[in-house]
Amino acid sequence: ESVLIHAGSGGVGMAAIAISLNMGCKVFTTVGTQSKKSFLLRTFDKLDSSMIGNSRDTSFEWMVLDHTAGKGVDVVLNSLAGEQLQSSVRCLADGGRFLEIGKVDLSNNSALGMAFFLKNTTFHGILLDALFQVSLDNPEKAEVSRLMQEGIRSGEVRPLPVTVFQNTQLEEAFRYMATGKHIGKVVLKIRQEEPEKIVEPRQEFVSAISKTYMDPGKSYIIVGGLGGFGLELADWLVTRGATKLVLTSRSGVTNGFQELSLRRWRARSIEVLISTTECTSQSGAKKIIASANQLGPVGGIYNLAGVLRDGLFNELSKESFEEVSAAKVRGSYWLDMCSRAACPQLDHFVGFSSVSCGRGNAGQTNYGYANSGLERICENRHDEGFPALAIQWGAIGDVGMVMKDLKGGNETKVAGTLPQKILSCLNSLDVFLGISTGQRNLSKPVSAVVSSVVLANKGVAASTSSAVNVTISSIVANIVGIKDIKRAGDATLAELGMDSLMGTEIKLALEINLDLVLSPNEIRGLTFTKLAEMDNRE
Ligand SMILES: NC(=O)c1ccc[n+]([C@@H]2O[C@H](COP(=O)([O-])OP(=O)(O)OC[C@H]3O[C@@H](n4cnc5c(N)ncnc54)[C@H](OP(=O)(O)O)[C@@H]3O)[C@@H](O)[C@H]2O)c1
């Protein structure tokens, strides 16, 4: 049979070429550079130089059709995307098989066109990672393993060339792979080869950045879940795996954004219960926990209820203290007491506190007092071995009480802090949850009270200091692997060799640093001149 193998100098490409040549197939392949072509010709003497095409454009289509008198090949092993995928489809002969191992077009749900099948062809989506996730007795995995062992015995399967990075060089390794300059495999060396093989190898620790995941089988309670931060937190929990939510609020659904959020979650089969029961009494807290337990064992309780009754200290009434403390102190107390027995599978008990407690804030004595009460409850729980975390937030940006009740913006200073953008708050939360559940190795004992603030004066100091000079241009240059930005001129990022992996990283960097949401096409069209303009504006 004849076969077209894309990206022939990569790990999969070289393995496929070796096996196909061994089976006596006629092999067409593609590579991105002349040096990779020379490397393949040196490595596989049965390869024909006129049958090695370019993987960076669609000229390989003519190469294949020319060599096969317009018939095409029996098998295509494809990892190219977009136009090149469509060209590869046209390279297939009558009755041919198309093996898709790339993920870009599958993930983007790209159109294929039914006319493809008029040639009696088949299209296989192959997700090798899925093969490793399923149970050990999976027959396909056993078959792959058998073929590998047979291949190793017969010499058909041979070790591939590798470029080795140390286990501390994860970023460098990925950046090197993303530039597409490598040949064969890029690997991380996790441990030194041991001179003597022992059955039970020595334990090795590799530092990693943990990520918090929610259990789809458990339920998650957010008190104050229909507020600004509450809706964002609920959405974040969903992106991290939660499928069952209980959101409480005294007034229930009152605006269009709350309704839209509910519709979006329900469309994704997320079970969301809205409860107007207050947690400020024993019976209320019990009822909320019981309704959550009906959806699934409670995995998290987050107290985000907040009421502001600001005023100068001598003007604050006893009632204002009671109102502000109701959900934060009495609510947290009853949620703590009732969850101890009713929530044996609880992973998180989180109270949202504020710098008004940690640093103090003029006009917020009652609010500071209430947050202090909430923190002490979390500390007690922590001391008694129950999950507990209180987060002292500075001002929060984009949503919530600073924006709504104080009619502020992302520049409003509160207690010496600037609003922390919500995406950044969620990143902090991820770190804190990782620490409190012991996913992160820390040398010191962990406190139940943590803090996340953007100091207003520190921000000014940093932006005027020449030592700190992280611009969006420099971030993008690091991702694309460009050392001298000036030489990039007006070339677009696509022309500079940005691939989809880099594109995703740049998209995230723009969203986090500039709050700028761009489509993949807009990112492909960016130039360093435009990025410099963004830096100047910022
Ligand atoms: N935004 C900030 O800058 C900031 C800074 C530091 C700390 N925090 C803390 O972060 C949390 C979230 O704040 P946010 O900015 O999202 O404020 P938000 O938009 O005002 O949300 C707070 C929500 O709490 C609900 N609530 C009040 N009392 C309740 C009770 N007894 N039971 C159930 N829900 C109750 C309110 O809804 P109903 O009126 O319908 O009950 C409101 O939607 C609060 O605990 C706040 O103290 C916020």
Side-chain angles (χ1 to χ4, degrees), residues 111-240:
L112 181 64
M114 292 291 282
F116 166 74
F117 298 104
L118 282 173
K119 288 204 281 182
N120 220 354
T121 48
T122 50
F123 189 103
H124 303 262
I126 301 171
L127 303 170
L128 269 186
D129 45 353
L131 207 60
F132 295 99
Q133 281 162 10
V134 287
S135 65
L136 282 175
D137 52 4
N138 169 26
E140 278 189 335
K141 190 170 170 183
E143 176 65 4
V144 170
S145 170
R146 189 188 63 76
L147 286 169
M148 283 283 288
Q149 280 163 24
E150 243 180 56
I152 291 170
R153 263 196 302 277
S154 69
E156 199 171 296
V157 174
R158 278 178 299 163
L160 295 164
V162 290
T163 311
V164 182
F165 285 84
Q166 297 306 313
N167 61 25
T168 49
Q169 295 178 298
L170 185 65
E171 183 176 347
E172 286 101 312
F174 269 103
R175 297 230 176 279
Y176 176 67
M177 190 169 69
T179 59
K181 290 183 195 136
H182 63 288
I183 283 176
K185 286 273 172 201
V186 178
V187 299
L188 282 181
K189 186 167 196 158
I190 302 296
R191 59 165 69 240
Q192 289 294 334
E193 202 66 49
E194 280 154 352
E196 264 179 60
K197 300 273 173 217
I198 44 174
V199 181
E200 194 72 35
R202 196 159 41 88
Q203 263 203 341
E204 291 280 347
F205 291 102
V206 180
S207 51
I209 297 173
S210 63
K211 207 169 167 181
T212 309
Y213 283 99
M214 307 302 148
D215 185 334
K218 293 186 182 176
S219 62
Y220 295 87
I221 300 172
I222 307 180
V223 177
L226 291 177
F229 205 152
L231 290 170
E232 299 293 330
L233 173 64
D235 204 52
W236 184 77
L237 294 180
V238 168
T239 61
R240 293 301 174 86

Side-chain angles (χ1 to χ4, degrees), residues 11 48 71 94 119 124 280 296 300 317 373 400 421 452 491 504 535 538:
D48 178 338
K71 282 195 193 127
D94 272 6
K119 288 204 281 182
H124 303 262
T280 45
S317 62
K421 291 178 185 165
S452 177
T504 309
D535 279 326
E538 178 70 353

Side-chain angles (χ1 to χ4, degrees), residues 223-224 226-230 248-252 277-280 303-307 327-328 352-355 367 371 393-396 399-402 404-405:
V223 177
L226 291 177
F229 205 152
T248 84
S249 135
R250 292 165 306 173
S251 35
T277 305
E278 288 213 44
C279 59
T280 45
N303 190 352
L304 274 68
V307 173
K328 284 204 183 263
F352 276 31
S353 176
S354 150
V355 282
Y367 185 62
N371 282 309
W393 297 105
I396 286 160
V399 294
M401 41 177 68
V402 168
K404 183 176 45 106
D405 300 326

Side-chain angles (χ1 to χ4, degrees), residues 201-353:
R202 196 159 41 88
Q203 263 203 341
E204 291 280 347
F205 291 102
V206 180
S207 51
I209 297 173
S210 63
K211 207 169 167 181
T212 309
Y213 283 99
M214 307 302 148
D215 185 334
K218 293 186 182 176
S219 62
Y220 295 87
I221 300 172
I222 307 180
V223 177
L226 291 177
F229 205 152
L231 290 170
E232 299 293 330
L233 173 64
D235 204 52
W236 184 77
L237 294 180
V238 168
T239 61
R240 293 301 174 86
T243 62
K244 302 166 199 299
L245 301 175
V246 176
L247 311 185
T248 84
S249 135
R250 292 165 306 173
S251 35
V253 176
T254 53
N255 66 45
F257 185 63
Q258 293 165 336
E259 266 174 32
L260 176 70
S261 304
L262 291 175
R263 267 205 311 278
R264 281 185 181 154
W265 291 322
R266 286 179 179 144
R268 291 166 64 187
S269 306
I270 307 298
E271 285 181 83
V272 195
L273 186 81
I274 302 296
S275 165
T276 51
T277 305
E278 288 213 44
C279 59
T280 45
S281 65
Q282 184 179 24
S283 59
K286 261 192 183 162
K287 194 170 161 196
I288 293 170
I289 290 173
S291 53
N293 264 331
Q294 275 186 347
L295 298 179
V298 179
I301 299 176
Y302 308 85
N303 190 352
L304 274 68
V307 173
L308 292 180
R309 292 290 176 267
D310 294 357
L312 290 179
F313 182 59
N314 55 358
E315 290 165 4
L316 294 181
S317 62
K318 175 171 173 264
E319 287 72 31
S320 81
F321 274 81
E322 275 167 1
E323 251 183 286
V324 176
S325 303
K328 284 204 183 263
V329 185
R330 215 152 8 101
S332 299
Y333 174 78
W334 286 121
L335 288 168
D336 168 22
M337 287 298 141
C338 300
S339 63
R340 291 187 180 211
C343 308
Q345 296 191 40
L346 195 69
D347 303 308
H348 308 141
F349 185 99
V350 185
F352 276 31
S353 176

Side-chain angles (χ1 to χ4, degrees), residues 497-512:
M498 180 193 79
D499 65 7
S500 57
L501 198 69
M502 298 176 193
T504 309
E505 262 196 271
I506 294 170
K507 188 171 163 50
L508 267 179
L510 290 173
E511 285 176 14
I512 292 172

